[in-house]
Amino acid sequence: MRNIWIVARKDLRGYFTSPIAYLVMAIFSAIMGYMFFSLLNLYVLQSMQFEQLRYGKGPSFNDSLIRPIFGNMNVVLLFIVPFITMRLFAEEKKNNTIELLFTAPIKMSQIVLGKYLSALLFVLVLLLLTIPYPIALSVAANPDWGVIAMCYLGTILMIGTYIAVGVLCSSITENQIVAGALTFGTILFFWIIKWASYNASPFWSDLLSYLSIVDHFEDFSRGIFNTRDIVFFASSIGLWLFLTYKTLESYSWRS
Amino acid sequence: MIEVQALSKFYGTRKAVDELSFNVEKGEVLGFLGPNGAGKSTTMKILTCFMPATSGTAKVAGYDVFEQPLEVKKRVGYLPETPPVYKDMVVLDYLIYAANLHGLKKAAAKNAALEAIEKCGLGGVKGRLIGNLSKGYRQRVGLAQAIVHRPEVLILDEPTVGLDPKQIIEIRGLIKSLAGDHTVILSTHILPEVQATCSRVLIINQGRIVAIDSLDAISARLRKGNVLSLVVERGTSDLVGKIQSLPGVASVSNPERADGGHRIIVTADESSDIRSAVAKIAFSSDAGLLELKRESMSLEDVFVKLTTVEHSI
């Protein structure tokens, strides 16, 4: 456990001693702020129209504001995660610092988990930057904290899967650009994997929609805690990290 | 301390290390010598558990590198060919991190890092980013990293590459001072370095051991007969004839102009020491003796002799 933390802490510090962390945080905050502002405006506009027409209950707070915000945030993170994970192993390989890690008395699994944890903790810092939005909402309205909590949990699990993909892609190559592009492509593929299911046989349709990352976020965004989704995310994170472990092991066999 | 038995390593079908066997005793400094691509780095990478061997066994401090890599890694300090330094880290932080990786905790890690900084002469740059340091300093940081956890065994892959002459002398001094407490294997292709630091040499070529012994023993083995170099001012033709008639002399070279006189190379049998006889002749024939010395085989000669294969045309 200590060894994992040693590796993770070093990389986490690495983000903050380079411009990467601040750049990513600035871009993420700016885009999230703009999105929040626009969606809130839209919601206010819709509510006012309902008010004038006295037509039904008006738009639901969760459906028209909370869910779109988190949905959009996940898309933004889809773009950001490759930039966070691409350096993890690729840079170590390029600079030969991997020899320091691999000849230190720590296990390969601890190295993989440490790297994973560093990127995950950095994304948690990004998510912390969005906490002011629900707090701002709670000043004027009465948001459902349960739904918000579930949305955060779902986001963390989903981003956790992205990061695991990123860690694997970074372990394959020593070129950061290749690692980033591979990560982005793979995640995007699992985002849209469901598209092929609309016209497929029941078996394939079920399989493809099970593999679709976004589908497993649906329940969280409704405030539902579904163990099926938890199992999906946990097992896919485990699988990607296991593949990373195997890749790195074979690296030392081949090199 | 280090036992290597029939170690082989293939890269694909290319044999990088071929049935290597040797032992290193505790406290010894073993020089690993060989031309580029001889298999030095590969052997070192196997000994540090960075990569597994194709066949054969290697034991460090009694632990097998393949069966118990963690135990081996704890006891080995390794400086790879390229120092494994993070350019965006400060020297002190980097060494603390290296100490942490080897299981040293907070204060202990910091003390170990400071001690390594002291030993490697990094005091002046400990607060600077490694990326801003010169190649020589980075090399020293790499060396500090290797010794930070006070390992029993040090494996140094070309430790003085890229250093200026003054630094080279310092680093050699440091390596010498580490011998005794530590067992050191160091690879190099700078030959005087071996003469300066190592108690034993292992010469390797194309993955095979060509020689392993103390330097003196190796060069003595290769020296065929006694070679004397003689410089005189005059009367060379007379002298050559007289020397030739001495017992035990195998050949006498034709005089060449050198060092303000004429140089004659005399080769004699290994058993006969003809130095005083040659000197006597030079005096008695009033040749004006300027220089008389025994030519010992330099390490360069040994190295070239052992690692060159002459192909017939």
Side-chain angles (χ1 to χ4, degrees), chain A residues 2-3 6-7 9-10 14 17-18 87 92 95-107 251-255, chain B residues 9 11 45 48-52 66 70 73-74 78 80 82 84-86 88-89 94 97 100-105 145:
Chain A
R2 214 183 87 84
N3 289 339
I6 289 168
V7 175
R9 187 180 55 189
K10 190 246 141 206
T17 49
S18 69
R87 69 192 293 239
E92 301 250 11
N95 295 336
N96 274 316
T97 47
I98 196 103
E99 291 194 63
L100 177 71
L101 276 180
F102 284 3
T103 57
I106 53 178
K107 291 182 186 140
Y251 174 76
S252 71
W253 279 94
R254 278 180 289 127
S255 62
Chain B
K9 172 77 187 176
Y11 292 113
K45 282 179 180 173
T48 51
C49 312
F50 182 70
M51 58 165 69
F66 190 68
L70 285 186
K73 286 173 181 176
K74 266 184 211 165
Y78 175 44
T82 348
V85 293
Y86 297 96
D88 56 355
M89 274 179 111
Y94 170 71
Y97 172 61
N100 281 332
L101 281 178
H102 281 92
L104 292 171
K105 288 175 188 151
Q145 164 275 127

Side-chain angles (χ1 to χ4, degrees), chain A residues 149-220:
Chain A
M150 276 299 129
C151 281
Y152 270 116
L153 178 65
T155 305
I156 291 168
L157 286 169
M158 198 156 140
I159 305 306
T161 312
Y162 296 174
I163 293 172
V165 172
V167 171
L168 173 67
C169 294
S170 185
S171 74
I172 291 170
T173 169
E174 58 170 47
N175 185 326
Q176 293 195 36
I177 309 283
V178 172
L182 264 180
T183 309
F184 180 71
T186 314
I187 302 172
L188 193 62
F189 178 71
F190 280 97
W191 255 71
I192 58 173
I193 199 169
K194 204 189 167 188
W195 291 3
S197 73
Y198 302 129
N199 205 4
S201 66
F203 170 76
W204 285 107
S205 170
D206 284 355
L207 183 69
L208 291 176
S209 40
Y210 182 73
L211 288 178
S212 166
I213 292 182
V214 214
D215 274 30
H216 292 275
F217 184 69
E218 278 294 299
D219 277 350
F220 285 108

Side-chain angles (χ1 to χ4, degrees), chain B residues 28 41 45 49 54 138 185 207 222 271 274 276 281 305 311:
Chain B
E28 205 178 4
S41 295
K45 282 179 180 173
C49 312
T54 311
R138 278 187 212 173
I185 295 187
L222 284 171
S271 51
I274 53 162
S276 67
I281 292 171
K305 198 148 194 170
H311 298 282

